[in-house]
Amino acid sequence: MSRHVHNTGCGCAQAQKQVGQMTDLFPQINVDKVWCLNEAQQGLCKNIFHPEKECIRIGEEQEKVLRSNRDDPFLILFVPFTCDVKVSALSLIAFGESAPLKLKLWVNREDIDFSNANDIAPVQDFDLQEDTAGTYHYFTKANKFFSVSSITFYFQGTINNTTSIIKYFGIKGQATQS
């Protein structure tokens, strides 16, 4: 059975209502404290976060992408917020053979790394789709993502199983504190 994945172009009433109620949480991301395990060049993970409206300007700027180490497509990305947030949806730009295939999420856990990521049950997981524009929205379980100070993301596998490349990562929802 195929599962419907909402996106801004899918046209279903539920997706349109949900997307209309969400805001870009980029201003609440504490970008200076974002970190990633297994990134090819330390610190480039911070470049995939920016206002959603700038998403359309993303080109082939290779220096601005998050890339895993060669022949190892797995990435663990830790994203803290400046205040508690309610996370409603995620989007990303990743395409071709280097697009990650799966994503696991943990809320308010700084201790996730490669030694325990497969042993600790995630709060939610997704099968990812190739997306060249960041228009697909992966909706989170509302009852699990309402008082979030940080999220740890575990990107797994690619079609070519060599290197993951992510050009943009968006988080939508609402700030619950100012």
Side-chain angles (χ1 to χ4, degrees), residues 153-170:
F153 301 94
Y154 183 22
F155 295 94
Q156 299 177 289
T158 61
I159 291 171
N160 66 12
N161 212 28
T162 58
T163 302
S164 286
I165 298 175
I166 300 170
K167 296 185 177 206
Y168 166 78
F169 195 67

Side-chain angles (χ1 to χ4, degrees), residues 4-12 14-16 18-20 22 50-58 88-95 128-139 166-172:
H4 176 68
V5 176
H6 298 297
N7 66 69
T8 53
C10 75
C12 82
Q14 180 185 5
Q16 295 306 316
Q18 287 178 317
V19 170
M22 296 182 288
H50 46 79
E52 181 183 35
K53 62 185 173 192
E54 293 179 13
C55 185
I56 58 172
R57 290 193 232 159
I58 297 171
S88 303
L90 310 169
S91 61
L92 66 131
I93 294 179
F95 51 91
L128 300 176
Q129 295 187 12
E130 180 179 12
D131 189 354
T132 60
T135 56
Y136 286 101
H137 289 95
Y138 299 93
F139 291 96
I166 300 170
K167 296 185 177 206
Y168 166 78
F169 195 67
I171 304 173
K172 287 189 168 190

Side-chain angles (χ1 to χ4, degrees), residues 1 4 6 20 28 36 91 97 110 114 116 121:
M1 177 186 226
H4 176 68
H6 298 297
Q28 285 76 36
C36 186
S91 61
E97 293 184 350
E110 284 189 60
F114 292 112
N116 61 14

Side-chain angles (χ1 to χ4, degrees), residues 9-83:
C10 75
C12 82
Q14 180 185 5
Q16 295 306 316
K17 181 179 177 187
Q18 287 178 317
V19 170
Q21 296 171 346
M22 296 182 288
T23 59
D24 184 3
L25 290 177
F26 172 73
Q28 285 76 36
I29 296 173
N30 191 344
V31 177
D32 289 339
K33 295 188 178 181
V34 169
W35 52 261
C36 186
L37 299 177
N38 198 39
E39 64 182 320
Q41 186 175 345
Q42 188 174 356
L44 287 184
C45 60
K46 298 170 194 229
N47 292 336
I48 63 173
F49 298 101
H50 46 79
E52 181 183 35
K53 62 185 173 192
E54 293 179 13
C55 185
I56 58 172
R57 290 193 232 159
I58 297 171
E60 296 297 318
E61 300 176 63
Q62 296 301 313
E63 72 278 0
K64 300 230 180 206
V65 302
L66 170 57
R67 184 184 305 267
S68 70
N69 284 314
R70 187 178 193 93
D71 298 324
D72 188 356
F74 298 92
L75 292 164
I76 293 181
L77 179 65
F78 175 75
V79 180
F81 297 95
T82 59
C83 66

Side-chain angles (χ1 to χ4, degrees), residues 26 108 143:
F26 172 73
N108 302 334
N143 64 335

